[in-house]
Amino acid sequence: LEELRLSHLVITTPEMLSSNLRRLSAKTVPLIDAGVLVIDEIQLLADEHRGHHLEAGLIDYTNYNPYSRLVFLSATAPNVGELSLFQNSLNSKKSKIVCSTYRAVPLDINFIPYNCGYSMGESYDDRIVEQLLLLDEFPDDVWLIFVHSKAFGRRLERRLLEEGYPCEFHNADIDFNKRKELEQRFRNGDIKRLISTKTLAWGCNTPARRVSVLGISAGGKKVPVYDLQQMVGRAGRPGQHFKGDAYIFYPSGEAHEEILLRAKLAMGEEIKSTLCNRDSLSFHLVAQIYIGRVLSTEEAEEWYNKTFAAIQGQGAPLGGIIGVVSYLE
């Protein structure tokens, strides 16, 4: 606690910020005393699992500390006007939007169609075949290969090893220390081909000259564009290479996807609040009631009006949930 109190810089996840501000304690004081709160990767607001925690945490933080300045950072959020309005609703300060298209290392994004059929047997997968062709074409380059399932990642790892390409597979099933060891070996140049799930997509400075993303769907849903942007952005990092190349694989029967993806990757995909989801909104509103910050329908409405969901006009779920407050009254 003393170390936290004496710190000039505190780094936290959205979940930890939200959790600590829900139950105020001595540990929370350094957080709410901060002069500036920087949110890196503000597009996390759109993540269905994490975004609502960030949104609710920002509301609690600015309720405690309305004087703090807020800085939102993102390389992939296009609707910065709405994010600026959200900032204004949080602390009533003027927001300044700073936009730049600068990237220290040029990045080329290539699209590769693959055959979804398995007519040549279960062991055949056109994505693996196409990836092997790329490895054959650029055998000396450092590769980071993203997959959207651990099962497919293991299949790819086996196939690459069979073809004589040493590789490792980075995923959430691996022990934390083992993952860190893999990352260090990758940075040191001991691993030239690293397969990974999303675990290395965000906030990682990798030595990859080339990145592959083997598919645009996961679990029956399209992979969010901001995730694809983060993945391809791991190629050609400053101080590592003069140029980066990325390859996005898409089903050959969906040629229109390349056109759509090119446009979305260039413009970004609009960041939408996830707090309007009934379960998420219920959780955070009931938490406000439990700790005594919301004790009437008026206070519930006041709290909700500060949300990013309200800025975006996503107010439909509120009516039913206000019944919780009415019942308590």
Side-chain angles (χ1 to χ4, degrees):
L1 180 59
E2 182 65 10
E3 185 177 317
L4 185 62
R5 189 182 67 80
L6 294 174
S7 297
H8 293 281
L9 176 67
V10 179
I11 301 172
T12 180
T13 62
E15 292 83 357
M16 188 60 72
L17 177 71
S18 179
S19 173
N20 274 292
L21 293 175
R22 278 200 305 273
R23 40 191 178 81
L24 195 59
S25 68
K27 287 185 178 180
T28 316
V29 174
L31 295 175
I32 61 175
D33 278 350
V36 181
L37 178 66
V38 179
I39 306 296
D40 194 15
E41 314 291 9
I42 191 63
Q43 72 271 11
L44 266 176
L45 285 168
D47 188 283
E48 62 179 321
H49 303 296
R50 308 185 68 194
H52 56 93
H53 290 292
L54 175 57
E55 193 168 339
L58 284 168
I59 295 167
D60 283 341
Y61 174 81
T62 50
N63 280 338
Y64 279 124
N65 186 353
Y67 305 104
S68 178
R69 287 175 291 171
L70 302 175
V71 179
F72 291 172
L73 302 176
S74 176
T76 60
N79 49 324
V80 291
E82 286 183 329
L83 291 168
S84 175
L85 290 174
F86 180 42
Q87 279 188 334
N88 293 343
S89 78
L90 289 169
N91 62 8
S92 302
K93 293 181 182 296
K94 238 182 219 182
S95 295
K96 183 175 182 180
I97 300 172
V98 180
C99 296
S100 173
T101 58
Y102 174 75
R103 192 181 196 272
V105 179
L107 175 67
D108 283 346
I109 301 176
N110 309 275
F111 292 84
I112 299 180
Y114 68 90
N115 184 357
C116 294
Y118 294 92
S119 57
M120 297 177 68
E122 286 187 8
S123 62
Y124 178 86
D125 190 307
D126 202 32
R127 289 172 294 179
I128 295 177
V129 174
E130 293 289 343
Q131 182 58 59
L132 283 168
L133 290 173
L134 284 171
L135 292 176
D136 288 341
E137 188 175 352
F138 306 104
D140 298 324
D141 286 344
V142 178
W143 284 84
L144 180 57
I145 305 170
F146 284 107
V147 295
H148 303 309
S149 80
K150 286 173 273 194
F152 180 68
R154 293 186 187 101
R155 283 176 53 206
L156 177 64
E157 181 184 23
R158 284 195 300 270
R159 184 66 185 278
L160 263 56
L161 291 172
E162 287 170 4
E163 297 293 331
Y165 283 107
C167 62
E168 298 277 2
F169 183 25
H170 189 286
N171 64 87
D173 283 350
I174 297 174
D175 173 78
F176 176 79
N177 291 328
K178 172 68 173 174
R179 290 206 305 271
K180 291 301 170 189
E181 179 198 333
L182 283 179
E183 291 166 23
Q184 190 59 51
R185 288 172 56 208
F186 191 43
R187 284 192 292 267
N188 291 345
D190 299 329
I191 300 174
K192 288 185 63 176
R193 299 162 201 92
L194 186 61
I195 302 165
S196 179
T197 52
K198 277 177 64 170
T199 48
L200 283 179
W202 290 61
C204 298
N205 206 20
T206 77
R209 167 66 176 82
R210 300 180 188 275
V211 164
S212 284
V213 182
L214 301 191
I216 56 174
S217 297
K221 296 180 181 178
K222 287 283 191 291
V223 176
V225 169
Y226 55 80
D227 271 346
L228 293 176
Q229 288 172 314
Q230 292 293 323
M231 291 175 188
V232 299
R234 298 313 100 198
R237 304 297 293 176
Q240 300 279 354
H241 301 285
F242 66 91
K243 183 177 181 292
D245 278 282
Y247 306 86
I248 297 178
F249 289 52
Y250 68 93
S252 58
E254 301 178 25
H256 63 287
E257 288 289 356
E258 179 179 343
I259 299 170
L260 290 174
L261 276 174
R262 280 190 185 279
K264 286 181 178 179
L265 286 167
M267 300 297 294
E269 190 169 44
E270 210 169 84
I271 305 305
K272 292 285 187 184
S273 169
T274 57
L275 192 61
C276 57
N277 172 280
R278 185 172 293 274
D279 291 340
S280 302
L281 187 54
S282 298
F283 172 82
H284 291 290
L285 188 53
V286 168
Q288 295 295 313
I289 294 168
Y290 177 76
I291 58 184
R293 291 185 201 146
V294 168
L295 298 175
S296 66
T297 53
E298 290 77 16
E299 288 179 349
E301 289 173 350
E302 185 180 338
W303 176 86
Y304 184 77
N305 285 336
K306 294 186 76 173
T307 66
F308 190 41
I311 295 294
Q312 295 188 312
Q314 301 179 52
L318 184 61
I321 295 171
I322 289 299
V324 177
V325 189
S326 301
Y327 175 78
L328 292 176
E329 292 178 322

